[in-house]
Amino acid sequence: MNLTQVDSNATITLNYWNTFVKAVGKNVTVVVLGITINYINATMIHTFNKYHIFRLNPRYILFIHLVFNDIIQLSTSISLFIFSYAFHTIHVSLCLLLILPAIFTTQNTPLNIAFMAAECCVSVCIPLRYSYICTVKRTYIVIGIIWAISSLSILPDLFILLAVESSQFLQSRVVCNRDTVFRNSYSVKKRDASHTLFLVVVSVTLLYTYCRILFVARCADSDTKKARNTILIHGFQVLLCTTVYVQPPLIKLLVTFFPEGLSDINFATFIINQVLPRLGSPIIYGLRDKTFRKFLKRHLCAVNHLPKIIWKLSS
């Protein structure tokens, strides 16, 4: 009996150690990816601010807003991911401080991409009116509209939470995700309806802009064909971003087939829905642009040149 008890304790200890190692590996992977992506995105923002040519172009303004949005979204999402492993539950007030920016920026992304596709369509299909339609002032107005639409989608849930839930719930600890905080049935229905509306509007916008550019590209130059490919990339990027809309039912479906793999399912969906779209943004929109890439290389590789500069100064 003593031998059996020792074997049981050894098995429990081994399982606990394996679970701990797996959890640390997941968190390290997420943090490393987050730091890498945010470093590239921060360098892009620095490049945008340093050169006046970018601040006068609506295309670059929309792009850098997308990058700034991704930094906020990735930082808050990774913080929530780490807290879920480190503490499992946190106070509702702290959860709101993290989850509200995450929801805002997650919903901003497809809207921003839709406006980027519209700007691309205007530049190709009606280039003579581009400077009139797409101005710097109107671009910042569009950014304001993006944030306003996202606010109208989530702020009612916050008001319902404060009006319906008791003070005891607001002071309690919960697993920090949208469904556990905004748990009112109206909030759940409104969330599904807003996700469907966002998905339809953005998909229709991308389809329309692609068809317009495709029609023009039949007898056009390579720049127009590049714009057509850009719209396709926009579509792929939106597809990655909007997978977050189907994340709750997708997790439930996967758990029914793999009931013991909830932790691995949450990790996989987090990487696919939250990290990969942010990894694609700097590659798709920054490095593909020749002008932006030329200036970006000077700052992205600045760390590599630092030892050479120090050596020259010392000598």
Side-chain angles (χ1 to χ4, degrees):
M1 290 181 65
N2 292 335
L3 184 60
T4 303
Q5 186 176 2
V6 170
D7 291 340
S8 178
N9 292 337
T11 303
I12 293 173
T13 303
L14 182 61
N15 290 336
Y16 175 81
W17 176 251
N18 291 336
T19 303
F20 175 77
V21 171
K22 184 183 291 187
V24 171
K26 291 176 181 178
N27 281 273
V28 169
T29 301
V30 168
V31 169
V32 169
L33 286 174
I35 292 174
T36 303
I37 296 170
N38 278 347
Y39 168 72
I40 297 173
N41 286 340
T43 307
M44 288 185 170
I45 293 176
H46 175 70
T47 304
F48 173 83
N49 290 327
K50 190 173 181 63
Y51 299 99
H52 193 64
I53 184 176
F54 298 128
R55 299 197 297 271
L56 298 178
N57 192 315
R59 180 171 301 174
Y60 294 119
I61 295 173
L62 284 173
F63 162 66
I64 216 64
H65 174 255
L66 179 66
V67 170
F68 178 74
N69 191 81
D70 284 350
I71 289 178
I72 299 175
Q73 196 278 337
L74 197 60
S75 300
T76 53
S77 297
I78 289 177
S79 299
L80 286 170
F81 184 86
I82 294 173
F83 283 164
S84 68
Y85 274 94
F87 307 108
H88 186 62
T89 60
I90 60 176
H91 289 286
V92 172
S93 56
L94 177 59
C95 179
L96 287 173
L97 290 176
L98 292 173
I99 202 170
L100 286 176
I103 296 174
F104 272 122
T105 51
T106 298
Q107 298 194 148
N108 282 348
T109 301
L111 294 175
N112 199 111
I113 294 175
F115 279 110
M116 290 175 69
E119 182 274 335
C120 185
C121 180
V122 171
S123 67
V124 171
C125 299
I126 43 177
L128 297 179
R129 300 193 62 192
Y130 177 83
S131 59
Y132 172 76
I133 297 174
C134 300
T135 63
V136 173
K137 182 179 179 180
R138 290 182 178 179
T139 304
Y140 285 112
I141 292 175
V142 164
I143 292 174
I145 291 173
I146 292 173
W147 282 93
I149 293 174
S150 297
S151 300
L152 292 175
S153 174
I154 187 59
L155 287 182
D157 295 333
L158 180 61
F159 296 146
I160 292 172
L161 171 68
L162 297 176
V164 174
E165 298 293 349
S166 63
S167 59
Q168 184 179 2
F169 173 75
L170 297 177
Q171 297 172 2
S172 63
R173 298 173 66 95
V174 296
V175 177
C176 190
N177 59 59
R178 184 169 183 170
D179 291 340
T180 55
V181 176
F182 304 112
R183 57 184 184 175
N184 187 274
S185 59
Y186 173 77
S187 297
V188 175
K189 293 178 181 178
K190 188 191 67 61
R191 180 204 64 189
D192 295 338
S194 62
H195 284 179
T196 303
L197 180 62
F198 274 43
L199 184 59
V200 170
V201 170
V202 173
S203 299
V204 169
T205 301
L206 290 173
L207 181 62
Y208 173 77
T209 54
Y210 178 75
C211 291
R212 285 289 305 271
I213 292 176
L214 185 64
F215 178 77
V216 175
R218 291 179 179 178
C219 54
D221 55 11
S222 58
D223 290 336
T224 306
K225 294 180 180 179
K226 181 182 178 181
R228 180 192 61 188
N229 295 333
T230 300
I231 298 297
L232 284 177
I233 295 173
H234 284 328
F236 176 71
Q237 181 76 350
V238 167
L239 180 63
L240 285 177
C241 294
T242 52
T243 52
V244 72
Y245 294 162
V246 296
Q247 181 173 341
L250 179 61
I251 291 177
K252 291 180 180 178
L253 178 63
L254 292 174
V255 168
T256 57
F257 292 103
F258 309 100
E260 297 180 356
L262 179 60
S263 177
D264 295 332
I265 291 172
N266 286 332
F267 174 71
T269 54
F270 179 83
I271 294 294
I272 295 172
N273 295 339
Q274 304 292 350
V275 178
L276 287 184
R278 277 78 214 175
L279 178 62
S281 293
I283 298 174
I284 293 172
Y285 306 115
L287 300 181
R288 286 184 72 248
D289 187 275
K290 293 181 180 179
T291 305
F292 200 90
R293 184 172 66 243
K294 180 180 68 175
F295 290 100
L296 178 65
K297 286 181 179 178
R298 302 177 184 177
H299 303 285
L300 193 61
C301 302
V303 177
N304 296 332
H305 297 317
L306 187 59
K308 298 179 181 178
I309 295 174
I310 295 175
W311 181 82
K312 288 181 180 179
L313 291 175
S314 61
S315 59

